[in-house]
Amino acid sequence: MLALVGLTFGVAFGSALVPLISIEMFVLGLCARWPDTSFWIVGLSVAVGQVLGKLLYFYAARGDIHLPKFLHRKPSGKPSRLKRWFGPGTRLHRWGDWIHVKCRAHPNWMAGTHGVSALIGVPPFMATSVLAGLAGMSTLMFVATGMVGRFARFSVLAASPAVVMAWF
């Protein structure tokens, strides 16, 4: 049992860092293979792993963690098409600046969006983790909303194979 919890935590942490790993498929497979596994233990280990993994993105967006040099963009001499639409002086850029100022003035407004994202996955949890860091959301609020949403999501997901099998 402890090995399954450790494996689940590791896969959840890895899927938080590398979006190509599907924790949802892992949880469904785990609970279908070992149906006597407690759904709330699976939900808790996935929630802790996911939130700890996304905490790295959160801290990087806040500027507390400095990314390695190879992850930085290299400046190019010619302007891209995106700069014509989103660059300085455009309406979208001014709108983005206004939103950035509002988010900085009210960082906990992001709590609702982050909590909904943690629960249902829309908007993507990775994106809201980065936005929460950019908005200056407190670490405690980030962890609390992420843990509650992820725990509820993955506890229900872990219980679903047993519920479906009970119907048949």
Side-chain angles (χ1 to χ4, degrees):
M1 180 63 168
L2 191 59
L4 283 177
V5 170
L7 178 65
T8 303
F9 172 80
V11 172
F13 185 79
S15 73
L17 297 177
V18 181
L20 298 175
I21 301 170
S22 175
I23 189 63
E24 285 85 359
M25 290 293 118
F26 177 81
V27 168
L28 285 174
L30 174 84
C31 293
R33 172 66 177 94
W34 291 286
D36 58 336
T37 306
S38 177
F39 69 91
W40 66 270
I41 291 176
V42 172
L44 183 64
S45 60
V46 170
V48 170
Q50 284 268 298
V51 170
L52 284 178
K54 296 301 182 198
L55 211 51
L56 296 175
Y57 285 103
F58 174 77
Y59 284 141
R62 270 195 357 190
D64 295 341
I65 295 176
H66 297 289
L67 298 175
K69 193 137 188 110
F70 73 90
L71 289 176
H72 291 264
R73 290 184 183 166
K74 295 179 179 84
S76 65
K78 83 178 204 187
S80 67
R81 279 192 235 176
L82 286 175
K83 286 201 176 190
R84 282 186 267 160
W85 286 92
F86 301 104
T90 62
R91 285 185 185 180
L92 287 174
H93 190 266
R94 289 190 300 269
W95 185 70
D97 286 344
W98 179 80
I99 287 181
H100 186 71
V101 167
K102 288 296 181 186
C103 285
R104 285 282 179 191
H106 306 284
N108 289 332
W109 283 1
M110 189 68 199
T113 305
H114 183 68
V116 167
S117 172
L119 182 62
I120 63 172
V122 176
F125 189 55
M126 181 179 283
T128 59
S129 298
V130 172
L131 289 174
L134 289 173
M137 183 184 207
S138 73
T139 305
L140 181 64
M141 181 70 73
F142 176 82
V143 170
T145 56
M147 282 295 293
V148 168
R150 288 277 126 168
F151 175 74
R153 175 186 175 99
F154 287 106
S155 293
V156 168
L157 189 65
S160 64
V163 169
V164 169
M165 292 309 292
W167 286 341
F168 294 112

